[in-house]
Amino acid sequence: MMKKMVAAFIAGALMMVSVQAFGSGVNLIGKKIDGQADLKIDGKVVGQTIIVQGKSYAPVREIADGVGGTAKYNKSGGAVEMSLPTQTETGQGSEGSGSTNGTDLSAKAAHEQKILDKKTEIDNKKMSIENQGKHIKDIKSELENQKIMLEEYRVKAEKSQGSISSAQTIYEVTKKTVADTETRLSEAEKELLVMQQQLTDLQTQLATLEG
């Protein structure tokens, strides 16, 4: 029963200490840390988690200490061994109540993980929106310069009095370039609107999880 409680808790929380402790299945070497957050158990901060690619990772020792258990690294076995307090130590009484407590703890940890993941999605979406805004600003600046050039070559083309000239050729090419840039700007602005709606949806989902 104790092993099932430990496995359920770790699986629900999606937490691990290191690459050496958990083998080749999880490799964090070279991965960028997107952020960090408090690790809370029953509302009490017991440590810090780091967020990598939308997942939160926390030290097993802090988890074990937070629930009154123990954790140690078995070098010979190449694994981290975690033990929760016995029913007598926690005052749970019957085996049934101990099992219920482990299930509740796992469910709570899984729910808190969903909230953290959703917040990470929101932060990433905000960053994408910010980058898209910068992209649109660059396109607008590019379009403004192109329109200035277009007007210059339009005047030169008119001065050529209908004869074929390099100014006329450049004017037609620049006119086509302006049209293409305007199309790119329109598509970029539509994409921004989609991103903003996605952000609104994510924030609604977060409110539902936290409600």
Side-chain angles (χ1 to χ4, degrees), residues 32-47:
K32 178 182 177 182
I33 296 177
D34 300 317
Q36 66 179 40
D38 291 335
L39 169 62
K40 294 183 179 181
I41 296 180
D42 292 332
K44 180 181 179 181
V45 177
V46 298

Side-chain angles (χ1 to χ4, degrees), residues 20-35:
Q20 292 85 355
F22 286 85
S24 60
V26 176
N27 191 338
L28 300 181
I29 295 177
K31 300 295 183 181
K32 178 182 177 182
I33 296 177
D34 300 317

Side-chain angles (χ1 to χ4, degrees), residues 3 14 25 27 52 73 83 98 107 114 136 141 145 164 168 209:
K3 290 181 179 179
L14 295 175
N27 191 338
V52 179
Y73 176 53
S83 299
K114 287 182 179 179
I136 290 174
S141 177
N145 292 332
I164 298 176
Q168 288 178 320
L209 288 172

